Amino acid sequence: MTSILNADLHCHSVVSDGTLTPEDLAARAKANGVELWALTDHDEIGGQHRAAAAARAQGMAYLTGTEISVTFADTTVHIVGLGFDPDDAQLAQGLAATRGGRGERAQEMAAQLAQVGIKGAYEGALQFVGNPALISRTHFARFLVETGVCKDTSEVFRRFLTEGKPGYVPHRWASLGDAVRWITQAGGMAVIAHPARYKFSANEEFALFSEFKQHGGRAVEVVTGSHSAAEYVTYADMAQEFGLAASRGSDFHSPDESHTDLGTLPLLPGALTPVWELLSDRILR
Ligand code: AMP
Ligand code: MN
Ligand code: MN
Ligand code: MN
């Protein structure tokens, strides 16, 4: 397998904060020409068997996936896992622990929003939740759009759900080493998700990449819906500098909200090693 492959290895279903089922995502990926797909729900692998079966029904190759929330240098970083055993008990346990604080955090978010006059946000957000163990900021954003407080979810994040804003509750997620180990021990490969999204200094970013490698991380997202064309080049260089393979994924969440659809990004630059080349024996067909 080469980089000349329409692989989309990052998206979300109703099992986390997406709005489509794994089956609808598989059909959409196939219709958009995706040849290798992974569903990467946040902190959750409960949709993996459904996604793999749906991919197979569509005649599309599949890699298991997840996106783990990590706290590194006081910042939330996302680590994608690909090609792991979806029945691995340690990975399941680690993810359950990572998800564990979400309910309480959501209650605190609602309490803060109530102080600025937005009532009932916890119950409101819950109406958008597909998986009760996974209430996320995205579900609050959908509630605030539905009730007309904001015109779209980006505005909600800007005004309410990011650091320093009235609905933002700091949270401690998994450690970088734990997340990489859970994925690796389950037979998968860890990937730094959308590195350009983190507001790191050059030193902090260097520390993230070096520690990630030391823990056994193998790849970085280069072409993602969260990067500009210039950032593809920056992180293609970073991948080569750190000897990491490269991944590609839309980070698609919803037809109404996501600006990048499944399978529509540019292909990976040819000089890079695609992560799926290292995972060829983990691909399900
Ligand atoms: P949580 O895991 O609950 O902190 O929620 C994080 C999720 O919020 C991300 O996975 C995105 O789906 C969404 N998100 C984060 N920042 C933004 C933003 N600026 N605009 C829209 N969605 C965002
Ligand atoms: Mn999300
Ligand atoms: Mn992410
Ligand atoms: Mn994502």
Side-chain angles (χ1 to χ4, degrees), residues 96-119:
T98 306
R99 292 193 291 274
R102 280 184 178 270
E104 217 169 290
R105 169 192 187 233
Q107 304 265 20
E108 284 176 44
M109 286 170 64
Q112 288 197 17
L113 289 169
Q115 284 179 8
V116 295
I118 298 161
K119 309 278 184 230

Side-chain angles (χ1 to χ4, degrees), residues 129-147:
V129 163
N131 171 1
L134 214 120
I135 182 162
S136 103
R137 283 185 289 162
T138 313
H139 302 115
F140 281 84
R142 290 184 186 136
F143 170 67
L144 294 199
V145 172
E146 190 206 47
T147 50

Side-chain angles (χ1 to χ4, degrees), residues 59-97:
M60 191 166 52
Y62 188 75
L63 279 168
T64 55
T66 186
E67 180 177 22
I68 306 183
S69 312
V70 158
T71 302
F72 181 85
D74 289 329
T75 300
T76 299
V77 165
H78 287 169
I79 300 296
V80 161
L82 296 172
F84 49 80
D85 168 8
D87 299 317
D88 184 86
Q90 268 187 349
L91 173 61
Q93 221 170 60
L95 293 177

Side-chain angles (χ1 to χ4, degrees), residues 10 12 16-18 42 67 78 136 138 197 251 253:
H10 190 148
H12 300 274
S16 64
D17 63 346
H42 296 286
E67 180 177 22
H78 287 169
S136 103
T138 313
R197 282 247 299 262
D251 208 355
H253 283 69

